[in-house]
Amino acid sequence: MGLDGLARLHGLFAAYKPPGLKWKHLRDTVELQLLKGLNAGKRPASEHRVRFLLGPVEGSEEKELTLTATSVPTLIDHPLVRGPAFTSLKIGMGHRLDAQASGVLVLGVGRGRRLLTDMYNAHLTKDYTVHGLLGKATDDFCEDGRLVEKTTYDHVTREKLERILSLIQGSHQKALVMYSNADLQTQEAYEMAVSGVLRPMNKSPMLVTGIRCLQFAPPEFLLEVQCMHETQKQLRRLVHEIGLELKSTAVCTQVRRTRDGFFTLDDALLRTQWDLPSIQDAIQSAAPRVAAELEKNLRPGLGTQ
Amino acid sequence: MPLFVPLTLLTPLYRVPSLKCFSFELSRTTTVACQTLIDALRVDLSKIEKHPDAANLLLRLDFEKDIKQILLFLKDLGIEDNQLGTFLTKNYAIFSEDLENLKTRVAYLLSKNFSKVDIAQMVRNAPFLLSFSVERLDNRLGFFQKELELGVKKTRDLVIRLPRLLTGSLEPVKENMKVYRLELGFKHKEIQHMITKIPKMLTASKRKITETFDYVHNVMCIPHHIIVKFPQVFNSRLFKVKERHLFLAYLGRAQYDPGKPNYISLDKLVSVPDEIFCEEMAKASVQDFEKFLKTL
């Protein structure tokens, strides 16, 4: 393996980050496991040097020692002198997830790190499932934060929630059009807006392209959010604001990313699969899809400047 | 007398094969000592050269005078040839010790009723043991006897099982004992029982112990007396315990009370591999477990 293992290790793959794990620890764990796999492979053959050694010549009757030329392996290539063949790998990270969030996390190895920049510049949307809990408000919008307020929630019904959600979606849709700098009077921009492809191709605040309620069982509710340029804290703040709009309060219990661009939950590798062969397979299987999607998204004419 | 190149010149050149000057130099110049260390004993020089003073020490060694005596002494003790490599990688400084001191220390251990086989095992697992003076070893043994109040034979067994206790620092052990007694609320007899089963608990990190106990006692609702029976839970990774407990709770099979049916013991919960866990305890397939993990 060794060097040809490294040759197949260039590209993007997705890992599933469990809650409670910092993204940096995940990156370091993946790097360690890959190094372990690469170092277990065969080392290339060591160099030989011609040395003149003293030794008895066979086949002669004299007992004198004479110099003979022999080829011996050099000590410098010995594994116990050089150490392991691979000591570090360059692994880049896609859109980050904070410690309490979980979900799909895109990583790039070797030449794949360049594709990470391309993915960032493509400004694709991401899917989240957000679990909320009605009845209390905390300072950091999470369930285990410092309690600020407790309210009743008997008056909250599913229709009220859905009305709020459609209001949010409407206002974000307006912001979407504004930030994408598109003149809706032109035919091209109108077609893009109709097909849902219109989005800002440079920095903008968090924009929610779609939000809907999947389950509502008071006090708990489950939302599915499609957004871009977000952080998980802003999503939790969104849950808090939804609670306020409902004339009650809410905290966020779980944020889980189900899709990042074109990587879905099915492509994400679990903790038990963070080893060399699985990651190589994941990179190989994702490579054609990655290339096609990036080419499609970076074509000129998308997102008017 | 052959010339030798300082080991610190051996920078990792793996990816730059064109720099042949270093390999050329080293090919004509090695000491007999280094050659034996690498070829015969399989000592890992790449790890040793990371320490700043190691190179100077190793290059001043003369094979006949220093190394041979100590190697014969170690073989006498019972350490096999193939184990000498790992031993010397950790404790290369043993070559600068006096042979008489080493013999005194072994005699001291024998006087404390450690058998020769036990001493060989202890030295193998804790290579720095013989570099400690007799007074220091005495103090350490005395400390464990007083602190744990286990009795002579049990203390001896504990030290044989985990000789790192004698070579490591004592502060973490004192801290951990306080944590078990005051923070977690175990009685002295319970702590003694847990330590004889899993000696590693004495040197585990405080944060890990408190987090594991917090989850097992408060979230999984397992009382003290059952945790005492299965101290392996303190040795395992917390995320494993969390994932498996949540899966069992989701399936409704999280039963940890020995009196009730479908009881699941804590030690099996943490120690068995995933396939056996899914098949026997959760009665589900591994794919279901993976799908569940992706919903956490």
Side-chain angles (χ1 to χ4, degrees), chain B residues 13-26:
Chain B
L13 293 171
Y14 193 82
R15 307 260 183 92
V16 194
S18 54
L19 272 174
K20 296 247 196 285
C21 46
F22 289 115
S23 59
F24 180 69
E25 282 232 54
L26 197 62

PDB file of all heavy atoms in Angstrom, chain B residues 13-26:
ATOM      1  N   LEU B  13      14.218  12.132   5.661  1.00  0.00           N
ATOM      2  CA  LEU B  13      14.398  12.523   4.267  1.00  0.00           C
ATOM      3  C   LEU B  13      13.573  11.634   3.361  1.00  0.00           C
ATOM      4  O   LEU B  13      13.927  11.403   2.226  1.00  0.00           O
ATOM      5  CB  LEU B  13      15.877  12.382   3.884  1.00  0.00           C
ATOM      6  CG  LEU B  13      16.828  13.346   4.577  1.00  0.00           C
ATOM      7  CD1 LEU B  13      18.249  12.954   4.280  1.00  0.00           C
ATOM      8  CD2 LEU B  13      16.569  14.759   4.128  1.00  0.00           C
ATOM      9  N   TYR B  14      12.498  11.105   3.874  1.00  0.00           N
ATOM     10  CA  TYR B  14      11.794  10.073   3.124  1.00  0.00           C
ATOM     11  C   TYR B  14      11.335  10.549   1.762  1.00  0.00           C
ATOM     12  O   TYR B  14      11.408   9.824   0.785  1.00  0.00           O
ATOM     13  CB  TYR B  14      10.589   9.588   3.947  1.00  0.00           C
ATOM     14  CG  TYR B  14      10.006   8.339   3.384  1.00  0.00           C
ATOM     15  CD1 TYR B  14      10.564   7.109   3.676  1.00  0.00           C
ATOM     16  CD2 TYR B  14       8.933   8.385   2.511  1.00  0.00           C
ATOM     17  CE1 TYR B  14      10.046   5.965   3.134  1.00  0.00           C
ATOM     18  CE2 TYR B  14       8.418   7.243   1.969  1.00  0.00           C
ATOM     19  CZ  TYR B  14       8.965   6.043   2.292  1.00  0.00           C
ATOM     20  OH  TYR B  14       8.464   4.900   1.760  1.00  0.00           O
ATOM     21  N   ARG B  15      10.817  11.793   1.711  1.00  0.00           N
ATOM     22  CA  ARG B  15      10.264  12.239   0.436  1.00  0.00           C
ATOM     23  C   ARG B  15      11.316  12.871  -0.461  1.00  0.00           C
ATOM     24  O   ARG B  15      11.017  13.396  -1.508  1.00  0.00           O
ATOM     25  CB  ARG B  15       9.159  13.285   0.693  1.00  0.00           C
ATOM     26  CG  ARG B  15       8.129  12.795   1.657  1.00  0.00           C
ATOM     27  CD  ARG B  15       6.893  12.317   0.960  1.00  0.00           C
ATOM     28  NE  ARG B  15       5.905  11.921   1.943  1.00  0.00           N
ATOM     29  CZ  ARG B  15       4.973  12.723   2.419  1.00  0.00           C
ATOM     30  NH1 ARG B  15       4.881  13.953   1.991  1.00  0.00           N
ATOM     31  NH2 ARG B  15       4.125  12.311   3.321  1.00  0.00           N
ATOM     32  N   VAL B  16      12.589  12.945  -0.019  1.00  0.00           N
ATOM     33  CA  VAL B  16      13.592  13.657  -0.828  1.00  0.00           C
ATOM     34  C   VAL B  16      14.741  12.707  -1.116  1.00  0.00           C
ATOM     35  O   VAL B  16      15.802  12.840  -0.536  1.00  0.00           O
ATOM     36  CB  VAL B  16      14.115  14.894  -0.071  1.00  0.00           C
ATOM     37  CG1 VAL B  16      14.867  15.794  -0.995  1.00  0.00           C
ATOM     38  CG2 VAL B  16      12.947  15.648   0.555  1.00  0.00           C
ATOM     39  N   PRO B  17      14.535  11.719  -1.969  1.00  0.00           N
ATOM     40  CA  PRO B  17      15.583  10.714  -2.174  1.00  0.00           C
ATOM     41  C   PRO B  17      16.812  11.272  -2.883  1.00  0.00           C
ATOM     42  O   PRO B  17      17.835  10.621  -2.945  1.00  0.00           O
ATOM     43  CB  PRO B  17      14.902   9.649  -3.034  1.00  0.00           C
ATOM     44  CG  PRO B  17      13.782  10.350  -3.684  1.00  0.00           C
ATOM     45  CD  PRO B  17      13.353  11.437  -2.773  1.00  0.00           C
ATOM     46  N   SER B  18      16.772  12.469  -3.405  1.00  0.00           N
ATOM     47  CA  SER B  18      17.909  12.978  -4.150  1.00  0.00           C
ATOM     48  C   SER B  18      19.022  13.440  -3.219  1.00  0.00           C
ATOM     49  O   SER B  18      20.151  13.564  -3.626  1.00  0.00           O
ATOM     50  CB  SER B  18      17.487  14.142  -5.035  1.00  0.00           C
ATOM     51  OG  SER B  18      16.853  15.100  -4.239  1.00  0.00           O
ATOM     52  N   LEU B  19      18.722  13.690  -1.929  1.00  0.00           N
ATOM     53  CA  LEU B  19      19.767  14.148  -1.007  1.00  0.00           C
ATOM     54  C   LEU B  19      20.589  12.955  -0.549  1.00  0.00           C
ATOM     55  O   LEU B  19      20.439  12.465   0.550  1.00  0.00           O
ATOM     56  CB  LEU B  19      19.133  14.834   0.196  1.00  0.00           C
ATOM     57  CG  LEU B  19      18.883  16.335   0.024  1.00  0.00           C
ATOM     58  CD1 LEU B  19      18.129  16.867   1.220  1.00  0.00           C
ATOM     59  CD2 LEU B  19      20.175  17.082  -0.122  1.00  0.00           C
ATOM     60  N   LYS B  20      21.469  12.484  -1.429  1.00  0.00           N
ATOM     61  CA  LYS B  20      22.160  11.245  -1.115  1.00  0.00           C
ATOM     62  C   LYS B  20      23.335  11.452  -0.193  1.00  0.00           C
ATOM     63  O   LYS B  20      23.966  10.529   0.262  1.00  0.00           O
ATOM     64  CB  LYS B  20      22.660  10.587  -2.419  1.00  0.00           C
ATOM     65  CG  LYS B  20      21.546  10.166  -3.345  1.00  0.00           C
ATOM     66  CD  LYS B  20      21.518   8.651  -3.448  1.00  0.00           C
ATOM     67  CE  LYS B  20      20.692   8.201  -4.634  1.00  0.00           C
ATOM     68  NZ  LYS B  20      19.285   8.332  -4.415  1.00  0.00           N
ATOM     69  N   CYS B  21      23.706  12.710   0.117  1.00  0.00           N
ATOM     70  CA  CYS B  21      24.939  12.927   0.879  1.00  0.00           C
ATOM     71  C   CYS B  21      24.854  12.303   2.262  1.00  0.00           C
ATOM     72  O   CYS B  21      25.783  11.692   2.750  1.00  0.00           O
ATOM     73  CB  CYS B  21      25.252  14.405   0.986  1.00  0.00           C
ATOM     74  SG  CYS B  21      23.830  15.374   1.444  1.00  0.00           S
ATOM     75  N   PHE B  22      23.667  12.424   2.949  1.00  0.00           N
ATOM     76  CA  PHE B  22      23.578  11.886   4.300  1.00  0.00           C
ATOM     77  C   PHE B  22      23.684  10.373   4.298  1.00  0.00           C
ATOM     78  O   PHE B  22      24.367   9.783   5.106  1.00  0.00           O
ATOM     79  CB  PHE B  22      22.268  12.307   4.957  1.00  0.00           C
ATOM     80  CG  PHE B  22      22.244  13.773   5.287  1.00  0.00           C
ATOM     81  CD1 PHE B  22      21.362  14.621   4.666  1.00  0.00           C
ATOM     82  CD2 PHE B  22      23.120  14.297   6.210  1.00  0.00           C
ATOM     83  CE1 PHE B  22      21.343  15.961   4.954  1.00  0.00           C
ATOM     84  CE2 PHE B  22      23.105  15.638   6.506  1.00  0.00           C
ATOM     85  CZ  PHE B  22      22.218  16.479   5.878  1.00  0.00           C
ATOM     86  N   SER B  23      22.956   9.747   3.355  1.00  0.00           N
ATOM     87  CA  SER B  23      22.988   8.286   3.341  1.00  0.00           C
ATOM     88  C   SER B  23      24.383   7.802   3.007  1.00  0.00           C
ATOM     89  O   SER B  23      24.856   6.817   3.537  1.00  0.00           O
ATOM     90  CB  SER B  23      21.971   7.726   2.355  1.00  0.00           C
ATOM     91  OG  SER B  23      22.253   8.205   1.070  1.00  0.00           O
ATOM     92  N   PHE B  24      25.089   8.544   2.145  1.00  0.00           N
ATOM     93  CA  PHE B  24      26.455   8.152   1.777  1.00  0.00           C
ATOM     94  C   PHE B  24      27.354   8.207   3.008  1.00  0.00           C
ATOM     95  O   PHE B  24      28.119   7.316   3.289  1.00  0.00           O
ATOM     96  CB  PHE B  24      26.982   9.076   0.686  1.00  0.00           C
ATOM     97  CG  PHE B  24      28.378   8.744   0.258  1.00  0.00           C
ATOM     98  CD1 PHE B  24      28.641   7.579  -0.438  1.00  0.00           C
ATOM     99  CD2 PHE B  24      29.428   9.580   0.567  1.00  0.00           C
ATOM    100  CE1 PHE B  24      29.927   7.264  -0.819  1.00  0.00           C
ATOM    101  CE2 PHE B  24      30.709   9.277   0.172  1.00  0.00           C
ATOM    102  CZ  PHE B  24      30.968   8.117  -0.517  1.00  0.00           C
ATOM    103  N   GLU B  25      27.217   9.282   3.782  1.00  0.00           N
ATOM    104  CA  GLU B  25      28.042   9.415   4.983  1.00  0.00           C
ATOM    105  C   GLU B  25      27.764   8.272   5.953  1.00  0.00           C
ATOM    106  O   GLU B  25      28.665   7.652   6.478  1.00  0.00           O
ATOM    107  CB  GLU B  25      27.669  10.725   5.689  1.00  0.00           C
ATOM    108  CG  GLU B  25      28.267  11.939   5.058  1.00  0.00           C
ATOM    109  CD  GLU B  25      28.987  12.770   6.108  1.00  0.00           C
ATOM    110  OE1 GLU B  25      29.844  12.199   6.806  1.00  0.00           O
ATOM    111  OE2 GLU B  25      28.667  13.940   6.236  1.00  0.00           O
ATOM    112  N   LEU B  26      26.448   8.022   6.173  1.00  0.00           N
ATOM    113  CA  LEU B  26      26.091   7.030   7.174  1.00  0.00           C
ATOM    114  C   LEU B  26      26.500   5.644   6.734  1.00  0.00           C
ATOM    115  O   LEU B  26      26.795   4.788   7.550  1.00  0.00           O
ATOM    116  CB  LEU B  26      24.586   7.065   7.439  1.00  0.00           C
ATOM    117  CG  LEU B  26      24.198   6.372   8.738  1.00  0.00           C
ATOM    118  CD1 LEU B  26      24.820   7.048   9.914  1.00  0.00           C
ATOM    119  CD2 LEU B  26      22.706   6.359   8.871  1.00  0.00           C
TER     120      LEU B  26
END
